[in-house]
PDB file of all heavy atoms in Angstrom:
ATOM      1  N   ASP A 254     -15.665 -12.299  -2.873  1.00  0.00           N
ATOM      2  CA  ASP A 254     -16.454 -11.951  -4.063  1.00  0.00           C
ATOM      3  C   ASP A 254     -15.550 -11.450  -5.191  1.00  0.00           C
ATOM      4  O   ASP A 254     -15.778 -11.719  -6.364  1.00  0.00           O
ATOM      5  CB  ASP A 254     -17.496 -10.878  -3.719  1.00  0.00           C
ATOM      6  CG  ASP A 254     -18.611 -11.462  -2.854  1.00  0.00           C
ATOM      7  OD1 ASP A 254     -18.761 -12.702  -2.858  1.00  0.00           O
ATOM      8  OD2 ASP A 254     -19.285 -10.682  -2.164  1.00  0.00           O
ATOM      9  N   PHE A 255     -14.524 -10.700  -4.820  1.00  0.00           N
ATOM     10  CA  PHE A 255     -13.615 -10.127  -5.823  1.00  0.00           C
ATOM     11  C   PHE A 255     -12.925 -11.236  -6.617  1.00  0.00           C
ATOM     12  O   PHE A 255     -12.815 -11.164  -7.840  1.00  0.00           O
ATOM     13  CB  PHE A 255     -12.569  -9.279  -5.084  1.00  0.00           C
ATOM     14  CG  PHE A 255     -11.693  -8.410  -5.951  1.00  0.00           C
ATOM     15  CD1 PHE A 255     -12.230  -7.381  -6.703  1.00  0.00           C
ATOM     16  CD2 PHE A 255     -10.320  -8.599  -5.967  1.00  0.00           C
ATOM     17  CE1 PHE A 255     -11.416  -6.553  -7.469  1.00  0.00           C
ATOM     18  CE2 PHE A 255      -9.496  -7.775  -6.730  1.00  0.00           C
ATOM     19  CZ  PHE A 255     -10.049  -6.755  -7.480  1.00  0.00           C
ATOM     20  N   PHE A 256     -12.481 -12.274  -5.894  1.00  0.00           N
ATOM     21  CA  PHE A 256     -11.703 -13.322  -6.564  1.00  0.00           C
ATOM     22  C   PHE A 256     -12.535 -14.520  -7.013  1.00  0.00           C
ATOM     23  O   PHE A 256     -12.009 -15.398  -7.705  1.00  0.00           O
ATOM     24  CB  PHE A 256     -10.573 -13.823  -5.646  1.00  0.00           C
ATOM     25  CG  PHE A 256      -9.515 -12.786  -5.416  1.00  0.00           C
ATOM     26  CD1 PHE A 256      -9.239 -12.314  -4.147  1.00  0.00           C
ATOM     27  CD2 PHE A 256      -8.796 -12.265  -6.483  1.00  0.00           C
ATOM     28  CE1 PHE A 256      -8.272 -11.353  -3.935  1.00  0.00           C
ATOM     29  CE2 PHE A 256      -7.825 -11.296  -6.286  1.00  0.00           C
ATOM     30  CZ  PHE A 256      -7.561 -10.835  -5.007  1.00  0.00           C
ATOM     31  N   GLY A 257     -13.833 -14.569  -6.619  1.00  0.00           N
ATOM     32  CA  GLY A 257     -14.642 -15.754  -6.885  1.00  0.00           C
ATOM     33  C   GLY A 257     -14.494 -16.314  -8.297  1.00  0.00           C
ATOM     34  O   GLY A 257     -13.937 -17.396  -8.517  1.00  0.00           O
ATOM     35  N   ALA A 258     -14.967 -15.553  -9.285  1.00  0.00           N
ATOM     36  CA  ALA A 258     -14.988 -16.046 -10.663  1.00  0.00           C
ATOM     37  C   ALA A 258     -13.574 -16.177 -11.223  1.00  0.00           C
ATOM     38  O   ALA A 258     -13.251 -17.113 -11.968  1.00  0.00           O
ATOM     39  CB  ALA A 258     -15.804 -15.081 -11.516  1.00  0.00           C
ATOM     40  N   ILE A 259     -12.709 -15.244 -10.827  1.00  0.00           N
ATOM     41  CA  ILE A 259     -11.324 -15.229 -11.316  1.00  0.00           C
ATOM     42  C   ILE A 259     -10.616 -16.516 -10.901  1.00  0.00           C
ATOM     43  O   ILE A 259      -9.937 -17.177 -11.689  1.00  0.00           O
ATOM     44  CB  ILE A 259     -10.580 -14.008 -10.714  1.00  0.00           C
ATOM     45  CG1 ILE A 259     -11.124 -12.723 -11.307  1.00  0.00           C
ATOM     46  CG2 ILE A 259      -9.075 -14.126 -10.882  1.00  0.00           C
ATOM     47  CD1 ILE A 259     -10.629 -11.458 -10.661  1.00  0.00           C
ATOM     48  N   LYS A 260     -10.818 -16.858  -9.639  1.00  0.00           N
ATOM     49  CA  LYS A 260     -10.140 -18.027  -9.069  1.00  0.00           C
ATOM     50  C   LYS A 260     -10.535 -19.295  -9.830  1.00  0.00           C
ATOM     51  O   LYS A 260      -9.688 -20.127 -10.144  1.00  0.00           O
ATOM     52  CB  LYS A 260     -10.562 -18.123  -7.602  1.00  0.00           C
ATOM     53  CG  LYS A 260      -9.936 -19.235  -6.855  1.00  0.00           C
ATOM     54  CD  LYS A 260     -10.415 -19.258  -5.426  1.00  0.00           C
ATOM     55  CE  LYS A 260     -11.889 -19.592  -5.343  1.00  0.00           C
ATOM     56  NZ  LYS A 260     -12.373 -19.688  -3.948  1.00  0.00           N
ATOM     57  N   GLU A 261     -11.827 -19.402 -10.133  1.00  0.00           N
ATOM     58  CA  GLU A 261     -12.271 -20.627 -10.830  1.00  0.00           C
ATOM     59  C   GLU A 261     -11.605 -20.755 -12.181  1.00  0.00           C
ATOM     60  O   GLU A 261     -11.190 -21.823 -12.598  1.00  0.00           O
ATOM     61  CB  GLU A 261     -13.788 -20.610 -10.977  1.00  0.00           C
ATOM     62  CG  GLU A 261     -14.365 -20.812  -9.612  1.00  0.00           C
ATOM     63  CD  GLU A 261     -15.830 -21.082  -9.544  1.00  0.00           C
ATOM     64  OE1 GLU A 261     -16.476 -21.179 -10.606  1.00  0.00           O
ATOM     65  OE2 GLU A 261     -16.296 -21.181  -8.401  1.00  0.00           O
ATOM     66  N   LYS A 262     -11.492 -19.635 -12.879  1.00  0.00           N
ATOM     67  CA  LYS A 262     -10.875 -19.665 -14.212  1.00  0.00           C
ATOM     68  C   LYS A 262      -9.408 -20.077 -14.118  1.00  0.00           C
ATOM     69  O   LYS A 262      -8.905 -20.833 -14.940  1.00  0.00           O
ATOM     70  CB  LYS A 262     -10.968 -18.293 -14.882  1.00  0.00           C
ATOM     71  CG  LYS A 262     -12.387 -17.957 -15.276  1.00  0.00           C
ATOM     72  CD  LYS A 262     -12.452 -16.643 -16.026  1.00  0.00           C
ATOM     73  CE  LYS A 262     -13.889 -16.351 -16.398  1.00  0.00           C
ATOM     74  NZ  LYS A 262     -14.075 -15.863 -17.743  1.00  0.00           N
ATOM     75  N   ILE A 263      -8.720 -19.562 -13.105  1.00  0.00           N
ATOM     76  CA  ILE A 263      -7.292 -19.875 -12.990  1.00  0.00           C
ATOM     77  C   ILE A 263      -7.100 -21.306 -12.474  1.00  0.00           C
ATOM     78  O   ILE A 263      -6.210 -22.022 -12.942  1.00  0.00           O
ATOM     79  CB  ILE A 263      -6.573 -18.820 -12.123  1.00  0.00           C
ATOM     80  CG1 ILE A 263      -6.627 -17.493 -12.883  1.00  0.00           C
ATOM     81  CG2 ILE A 263      -5.126 -19.222 -11.823  1.00  0.00           C
ATOM     82  CD1 ILE A 263      -5.949 -16.338 -12.235  1.00  0.00           C
ATOM     83  N   ALA A 264      -7.978 -21.725 -11.580  1.00  0.00           N
ATOM     84  CA  ALA A 264      -7.885 -23.097 -11.055  1.00  0.00           C
ATOM     85  C   ALA A 264      -8.010 -24.101 -12.203  1.00  0.00           C
ATOM     86  O   ALA A 264      -7.324 -25.131 -12.231  1.00  0.00           O
ATOM     87  CB  ALA A 264      -8.961 -23.336 -10.009  1.00  0.00           C
ATOM     88  N   ALA A 265      -8.852 -23.777 -13.191  1.00  0.00           N
ATOM     89  CA  ALA A 265      -9.073 -24.708 -14.310  1.00  0.00           C
ATOM     90  C   ALA A 265      -7.787 -24.925 -15.121  1.00  0.00           C
ATOM     91  O   ALA A 265      -7.626 -25.943 -15.783  1.00  0.00           O
ATOM     92  CB  ALA A 265     -10.186 -24.170 -15.206  1.00  0.00           C
ATOM     93  N   LEU A 266      -6.854 -23.960 -15.049  1.00  0.00           N
ATOM     94  CA  LEU A 266      -5.587 -24.098 -15.783  1.00  0.00           C
ATOM     95  C   LEU A 266      -4.594 -24.964 -15.006  1.00  0.00           C
ATOM     96  O   LEU A 266      -3.602 -25.427 -15.566  1.00  0.00           O
ATOM     97  CB  LEU A 266      -4.928 -22.728 -16.006  1.00  0.00           C
ATOM     98  CG  LEU A 266      -5.742 -21.627 -16.665  1.00  0.00           C
ATOM     99  CD1 LEU A 266      -4.908 -20.350 -16.742  1.00  0.00           C
ATOM    100  CD2 LEU A 266      -6.190 -22.063 -18.053  1.00  0.00           C
ATOM    101  N   GLY A 267      -4.830 -25.105 -13.706  1.00  0.00           N
ATOM    102  CA  GLY A 267      -3.911 -25.898 -12.880  1.00  0.00           C
ATOM    103  C   GLY A 267      -2.654 -25.137 -12.504  1.00  0.00           C
ATOM    104  O   GLY A 267      -1.623 -25.738 -12.196  1.00  0.00           O
ATOM    105  N   VAL A 268      -2.705 -23.794 -12.539  1.00  0.00           N
ATOM    106  CA  VAL A 268      -1.532 -23.017 -12.115  1.00  0.00           C
ATOM    107  C   VAL A 268      -1.856 -22.292 -10.801  1.00  0.00           C
ATOM    108  O   VAL A 268      -3.021 -22.164 -10.426  1.00  0.00           O
ATOM    109  CB  VAL A 268      -1.091 -21.976 -13.181  1.00  0.00           C
ATOM    110  CG1 VAL A 268      -0.739 -22.667 -14.479  1.00  0.00           C
ATOM    111  CG2 VAL A 268      -2.155 -20.917 -13.408  1.00  0.00           C
ATOM    112  N   ALA A 269      -0.811 -21.813 -10.145  1.00  0.00           N
ATOM    113  CA  ALA A 269      -1.022 -21.090  -8.883  1.00  0.00           C
ATOM    114  C   ALA A 269      -1.442 -19.651  -9.173  1.00  0.00           C
ATOM    115  O   ALA A 269      -1.178 -19.106 -10.251  1.00  0.00           O
ATOM    116  CB  ALA A 269       0.270 -21.098  -8.072  1.00  0.00           C
ATOM    117  N   ILE A 270      -2.088 -19.045  -8.177  1.00  0.00           N
ATOM    118  CA  ILE A 270      -2.449 -17.636  -8.307  1.00  0.00           C
ATOM    119  C   ILE A 270      -1.641 -16.843  -7.273  1.00  0.00           C
ATOM    120  O   ILE A 270      -1.530 -17.256  -6.120  1.00  0.00           O
ATOM    121  CB  ILE A 270      -3.984 -17.458  -8.128  1.00  0.00           C
ATOM    122  CG1 ILE A 270      -4.425 -16.016  -8.233  1.00  0.00           C
ATOM    123  CG2 ILE A 270      -4.486 -17.992  -6.816  1.00  0.00           C
ATOM    124  CD1 ILE A 270      -5.956 -15.871  -8.343  1.00  0.00           C
ATOM    125  N   PHE A 271      -1.036 -15.766  -7.736  1.00  0.00           N
ATOM    126  CA  PHE A 271      -0.354 -14.839  -6.826  1.00  0.00           C
ATOM    127  C   PHE A 271      -1.173 -13.550  -6.813  1.00  0.00           C
ATOM    128  O   PHE A 271      -1.708 -13.145  -7.856  1.00  0.00           O
ATOM    129  CB  PHE A 271       1.058 -14.460  -7.330  1.00  0.00           C
ATOM    130  CG  PHE A 271       2.097 -15.549  -7.278  1.00  0.00           C
ATOM    131  CD1 PHE A 271       1.775 -16.862  -6.992  1.00  0.00           C
ATOM    132  CD2 PHE A 271       3.438 -15.234  -7.534  1.00  0.00           C
ATOM    133  CE1 PHE A 271       2.749 -17.855  -6.960  1.00  0.00           C
ATOM    134  CE2 PHE A 271       4.426 -16.207  -7.497  1.00  0.00           C
ATOM    135  CZ  PHE A 271       4.084 -17.524  -7.222  1.00  0.00           C
ATOM    136  N   ILE A 272      -1.255 -12.919  -5.653  1.00  0.00           N
ATOM    137  CA  ILE A 272      -1.888 -11.595  -5.598  1.00  0.00           C
ATOM    138  C   ILE A 272      -0.989 -10.657  -4.798  1.00  0.00           C
ATOM    139  O   ILE A 272      -0.169 -11.116  -3.993  1.00  0.00           O
ATOM    140  CB  ILE A 272      -3.305 -11.640  -4.973  1.00  0.00           C
ATOM    141  CG1 ILE A 272      -3.280 -12.283  -3.580  1.00  0.00           C
ATOM    142  CG2 ILE A 272      -4.276 -12.367  -5.892  1.00  0.00           C
ATOM    143  CD1 ILE A 272      -4.579 -12.119  -2.807  1.00  0.00           C
ATOM    144  N   GLU A 273      -1.156  -9.358  -5.034  1.00  0.00           N
ATOM    145  CA  GLU A 273      -0.284  -8.357  -4.390  1.00  0.00           C
ATOM    146  C   GLU A 273      -1.121  -7.271  -3.712  1.00  0.00           C
ATOM    147  O   GLU A 273      -1.012  -6.090  -4.055  1.00  0.00           O
ATOM    148  CB  GLU A 273       0.616  -7.708  -5.446  1.00  0.00           C
ATOM    149  CG  GLU A 273       1.469  -8.674  -6.255  1.00  0.00           C
ATOM    150  CD  GLU A 273       2.098  -8.015  -7.490  1.00  0.00           C
ATOM    151  OE1 GLU A 273       1.899  -6.808  -7.724  1.00  0.00           O
ATOM    152  OE2 GLU A 273       2.784  -8.735  -8.233  1.00  0.00           O
ATOM    153  N   PRO A 274      -1.983  -7.640  -2.773  1.00  0.00           N
ATOM    154  CA  PRO A 274      -2.835  -6.613  -2.167  1.00  0.00           C
ATOM    155  C   PRO A 274      -2.056  -5.686  -1.245  1.00  0.00           C
ATOM    156  O   PRO A 274      -1.161  -6.133  -0.520  1.00  0.00           O
ATOM    157  CB  PRO A 274      -3.848  -7.433  -1.355  1.00  0.00           C
ATOM    158  CG  PRO A 274      -3.137  -8.696  -1.029  1.00  0.00           C
ATOM    159  CD  PRO A 274      -2.187  -8.961  -2.173  1.00  0.00           C
ATOM    160  N   GLY A 275      -2.373  -4.420  -1.281  1.00  0.00           N
ATOM    161  CA  GLY A 275      -1.762  -3.459  -0.366  1.00  0.00           C
ATOM    162  C   GLY A 275      -2.861  -2.790   0.433  1.00  0.00           C
ATOM    163  O   GLY A 275      -3.118  -3.112   1.591  1.00  0.00           O
ATOM    164  N   ARG A 276      -3.574  -1.897  -0.246  1.00  0.00           N
ATOM    165  CA  ARG A 276      -4.591  -1.080   0.419  1.00  0.00           C
ATOM    166  C   ARG A 276      -5.616  -1.889   1.218  1.00  0.00           C
ATOM    167  O   ARG A 276      -5.879  -1.583   2.380  1.00  0.00           O
ATOM    168  CB  ARG A 276      -5.321  -0.268  -0.659  1.00  0.00           C
ATOM    169  CG  ARG A 276      -6.228   0.801  -0.098  1.00  0.00           C
ATOM    170  CD  ARG A 276      -7.095   1.407  -1.209  1.00  0.00           C
ATOM    171  NE  ARG A 276      -6.367   1.747  -2.391  1.00  0.00           N
ATOM    172  CZ  ARG A 276      -5.811   2.939  -2.641  1.00  0.00           C
ATOM    173  NH1 ARG A 276      -5.921   3.904  -1.759  1.00  0.00           N
ATOM    174  NH2 ARG A 276      -5.164   3.158  -3.776  1.00  0.00           N
ATOM    175  N   ALA A 277      -6.187  -2.925   0.576  1.00  0.00           N
ATOM    176  CA  ALA A 277      -7.273  -3.643   1.246  1.00  0.00           C
ATOM    177  C   ALA A 277      -6.789  -4.380   2.492  1.00  0.00           C
ATOM    178  O   ALA A 277      -7.568  -4.694   3.386  1.00  0.00           O
ATOM    179  CB  ALA A 277      -7.934  -4.621   0.277  1.00  0.00           C
ATOM    180  N   MET A 278      -5.489  -4.634   2.570  1.00  0.00           N
ATOM    181  CA  MET A 278      -4.924  -5.273   3.760  1.00  0.00           C
ATOM    182  C   MET A 278      -4.814  -4.288   4.922  1.00  0.00           C
ATOM    183  O   MET A 278      -5.075  -4.639   6.068  1.00  0.00           O
ATOM    184  CB  MET A 278      -3.506  -5.764   3.475  1.00  0.00           C
ATOM    185  CG  MET A 278      -3.435  -6.967   2.638  1.00  0.00           C
ATOM    186  SD  MET A 278      -3.785  -8.412   3.627  1.00  0.00           S
ATOM    187  CE  MET A 278      -2.680  -9.521   2.822  1.00  0.00           C
ATOM    188  N   VAL A 279      -4.350  -3.059   4.619  1.00  0.00           N
ATOM    189  CA  VAL A 279      -3.943  -2.184   5.731  1.00  0.00           C
ATOM    190  C   VAL A 279      -4.716  -0.881   5.894  1.00  0.00           C
ATOM    191  O   VAL A 279      -4.670  -0.286   6.977  1.00  0.00           O
ATOM    192  CB  VAL A 279      -2.422  -1.843   5.662  1.00  0.00           C
ATOM    193  CG1 VAL A 279      -1.579  -3.021   6.051  1.00  0.00           C
ATOM    194  CG2 VAL A 279      -2.013  -1.317   4.309  1.00  0.00           C
ATOM    195  N   ALA A 280      -5.420  -0.423   4.847  1.00  0.00           N
ATOM    196  CA  ALA A 280      -6.016   0.925   4.947  1.00  0.00           C
ATOM    197  C   ALA A 280      -6.874   1.059   6.205  1.00  0.00           C
ATOM    198  O   ALA A 280      -6.653   1.937   7.037  1.00  0.00           O
ATOM    199  CB  ALA A 280      -6.838   1.256   3.706  1.00  0.00           C
ATOM    200  N   ASN A 281      -7.835   0.159   6.346  1.00  0.00           N
ATOM    201  CA  ASN A 281      -8.754   0.316   7.471  1.00  0.00           C
ATOM    202  C   ASN A 281      -8.249  -0.305   8.763  1.00  0.00           C
ATOM    203  O   ASN A 281      -8.973  -0.349   9.756  1.00  0.00           O
ATOM    204  CB  ASN A 281     -10.148  -0.178   7.076  1.00  0.00           C
ATOM    205  CG  ASN A 281     -10.768   0.809   6.095  1.00  0.00           C
ATOM    206  OD1 ASN A 281     -10.657   2.019   6.284  1.00  0.00           O
ATOM    207  ND2 ASN A 281     -11.377   0.316   5.035  1.00  0.00           N
ATOM    208  N   ALA A 282      -6.984  -0.726   8.734  1.00  0.00           N
ATOM    209  CA  ALA A 282      -6.347  -1.192   9.969  1.00  0.00           C
ATOM    210  C   ALA A 282      -5.546  -0.068  10.602  1.00  0.00           C
ATOM    211  O   ALA A 282      -4.840  -0.279  11.593  1.00  0.00           O
ATOM    212  CB  ALA A 282      -5.431  -2.374   9.670  1.00  0.00           C
TER     213      ALA A 282
END
Side-chain angles (χ1 to χ4, degrees):
D254 289 340
F255 190 64
F256 292 119
I259 291 171
K260 182 180 66 177
E261 290 191 3
K262 290 184 180 223
I263 294 182
L266 306 178
V268 300
I270 179 168
F271 290 10
I272 55 169
E273 304 167 1
R276 190 190 313 269
M278 286 281 215
V279 287
N281 289 318

